[in-house]
Amino acid sequence: MARFSVTEAATAGFGVIGRKPLAVVGWALALAVGMIIPAILGFVALGPQFQQMIQIAMTQKEGAPDPEFMRQMMQAQSGMTAANLLFWLWSSFIKAVFCAAVFRAVLTPNSSSWAYLRIGSREMWLTLLLLVEQVLIMIVAFVVALVIAVLAAVAGVSGGENGAMAAVSTAFVGAAVAVIVLVWVALRLSMAAPMTFVDNQFRLFESWALTKGQGWRLLGVALLVVVFVIGVEILVAAVLLGTVFAAGGSLAALHGDGGFEAFMARPPLDILRDVWPWAAVIGMVAALFSAVVQAIFYAPWAAVHRALTSET
């Protein structure tokens, strides 16, 4: 049976960063273009709806929301539904492009032109895979939550005087079992993305055979990756919070009673003109750390795939 080193696989992302730091910078720049510019355009286009939602929420008094408030909120949100769908598709495509770039840096390190970034059939197949996985996750989560709710209700009804405790216990145990099973399934399907990239075809359940007998090692890789990502995110949060506090001190319009409400009531372009320097700084910092996180997160699975297939 093929084997791989858990620590070597989990730290593969740091290896990519150490070998190709300029590629990571290139990913950050591309990520800024790919995500921040569309976000700015979306803010300009949907600024009125966004402002309306904020103003409605601010004018709502304490207590149960009245029907008119709910109607206005639904009306404001409906105008953003199409934009949310487009952003979901676009963000999935961007993730696929960067996932492929990290895989390329691990599996074919000599193909380093354009910071390993490409837009081709591999990226399209990975986009499709990400979309399918997200839809499946939503469906499975809904079904699992429904089953747990039904079981908890049955336990509560049949539990008599201790029905509430029985319902809570059943829900807790059911949720714990569901999490364990879903994590195991996710680990068994974790080679879907690198298989899709290498084979240049849609792969999902084909990962099941490749990961047979590798569950505990894959779990070790996943846990280490989570620890690394959390550490980076803590560092990112500290830097971004410092930048936000500095920006708050320079935006005098936000100070005083009603300052935020008056600031948000202005036209979107006026708001953007005042905040863009700080938004640019925050965006670049976030893009750089996001590129680092993507390398840390995606590279281990490419390394595992290389180890498993090199011995088969």
Side-chain angles (χ1 to χ4, degrees):
M1 178 183 296
R3 299 172 65 87
F4 60 89
S5 170
V6 172
T7 54
E8 288 182 8
T11 57
F14 295 104
V16 170
I17 296 169
R19 292 192 307 271
K20 297 291 183 179
L22 292 181
V24 179
V25 175
W27 296 344
L29 294 174
L31 185 63
V33 173
M35 296 301 293
I36 295 175
I37 291 180
I40 293 175
L41 295 177
F43 175 78
V44 173
L46 299 174
Q49 291 91 333
F50 182 70
Q51 285 181 299
Q52 182 183 4
M53 292 177 63
I54 293 179
Q55 292 170 1
I56 291 173
M58 288 181 174
T59 56
Q60 174 64 19
K61 298 180 180 180
E62 295 183 0
D66 58 66
E68 180 62 19
F69 168 78
M70 296 303 298
R71 186 192 67 80
Q72 291 177 342
M73 285 294 293
M74 292 299 295
Q75 183 179 0
Q77 289 178 350
S78 63
M80 303 178 68
T81 302
N84 290 333
L85 177 60
L86 290 175
F87 184 78
W88 174 56
L89 295 174
W90 178 253
S91 62
S92 297
F93 170 71
I94 293 296
K95 290 178 183 178
V97 170
F98 284 96
C99 177
V102 176
F103 285 173
R104 198 171 280 113
V106 174
L107 301 175
T108 57
N110 293 329
S111 304
S112 59
S113 58
W114 296 97
Y116 299 101
L117 293 168
R118 310 283 191 277
I119 298 179
S121 57
R122 283 182 167 83
E123 287 71 19
M124 296 299 106
W125 284 120
L126 282 172
T127 301
L128 178 61
L129 174 66
L130 291 176
L131 293 173
V132 170
E133 286 180 337
Q134 291 174 73
V135 172
L136 288 177
I137 289 172
M138 289 186 289
I139 294 174
V140 171
F142 174 79
V143 172
V144 169
L146 182 61
V147 171
I148 292 175
V150 171
L151 293 176
V154 172
V157 172
S158 60
E161 296 180 356
N162 298 321
M165 181 63 68
V168 172
S169 301
T170 301
F172 179 79
V173 173
V177 172
V179 168
I180 293 173
V181 172
L182 292 177
V183 168
W184 177 70
V185 172
L187 291 173
R188 293 297 304 273
L189 298 179
S190 60
M191 291 298 98
M195 290 179 73
T196 296
F197 174 82
V198 172
D199 297 343
N200 198 14
Q201 292 184 9
F202 182 85
R203 295 285 186 262
L204 180 55
F205 298 108
E206 291 83 353
S207 170
W208 199 268
L210 184 60
T211 57
K212 182 179 180 181
Q214 306 292 342
W216 288 110
R217 291 179 176 275
L218 290 170
L219 179 61
V221 172
L223 291 176
L224 286 176
V225 169
V226 168
V227 171
F228 296 152
V229 170
I230 290 176
V232 172
E233 288 182 345
I234 292 174
L235 179 60
V236 174
V239 174
L240 291 182
L241 282 176
T243 306
V244 169
F245 286 138
S250 66
L251 293 175
L254 295 177
H255 297 283
D257 293 337
F260 181 75
E261 292 84 348
F263 184 81
M264 292 305 301
R266 301 165 61 197
L269 288 178
D270 290 346
I271 298 175
L272 187 61
R273 184 173 58 249
D274 286 344
V275 304
W276 80 263
W278 294 104
V281 173
I282 293 174
M284 287 307 302
V285 171
L288 179 60
F289 279 103
S290 180
V292 171
V293 168
Q294 296 205 50
I296 294 173
F297 182 81
Y298 289 126
W301 312 111
V304 170
H305 179 273
R306 180 180 58 194
L308 294 179
T309 55
S310 64
E311 300 183 22
T312 57

